[in-house]
Amino acid sequence: MAELDRIEARLLESRARARAWDELRTRHANVSAIACESAAAHAEGMEKYQRWQVERSRRLEAQLARAIDAKQEIGSKRWARHGALPTAGN
């Protein structure tokens, strides 16, 4: 009888271990699915931010170019008022 009890205990232990591994496998699949969704959302956010940065850079470059043009225009008008053209020595 003791031998049957040991066999039954081993079978119950094996079933419990198999259930635990099944549960771990299921949890892992769920966590992996969530991680993939999160990574996809993160990648989309990074792409959106990159587009925003590119557009911002273009706007700032255009703004800087306009400011430089305006400064050069003001400088040209100033020199024209004084009746002289700028030279490297002035």
Side-chain angles (χ1 to χ4, degrees):
M1 200 59 160
E3 183 65 26
L4 288 176
D5 288 340
R6 280 195 299 269
I7 292 172
E8 182 182 19
R10 282 180 36 210
L11 285 173
L12 291 174
E13 183 180 326
S14 293
R15 280 189 201 153
R17 191 177 298 122
R19 276 192 227 113
W21 280 109
D22 286 342
E23 178 67 22
L24 288 173
R25 190 176 307 115
T26 301
R27 288 182 184 187
H28 176 72
N30 291 339
V31 168
S32 294
I34 291 168
C36 288
E37 289 175 19
S38 177
H42 181 67
E44 288 173 12
M46 288 174 54
E47 183 181 353
K48 182 179 176 182
Y49 181 71
Q50 176 66 26
R51 285 192 307 265
W52 178 82
Q53 285 283 50
V54 168
E55 288 303 316
R56 180 175 180 259
S57 178
R58 287 182 184 150
R59 284 192 311 271
L60 290 174
E61 285 175 1
Q63 184 180 0
L64 180 60
R66 287 190 305 271
I68 289 170
D69 289 344
K71 185 174 181 179
Q72 288 174 347
E73 186 176 324
I74 290 170
S76 296
K77 288 179 183 178
R78 184 176 296 149
W79 283 105
R81 270 195 312 236
H82 294 292
L85 292 176
T87 62
N90 289 347

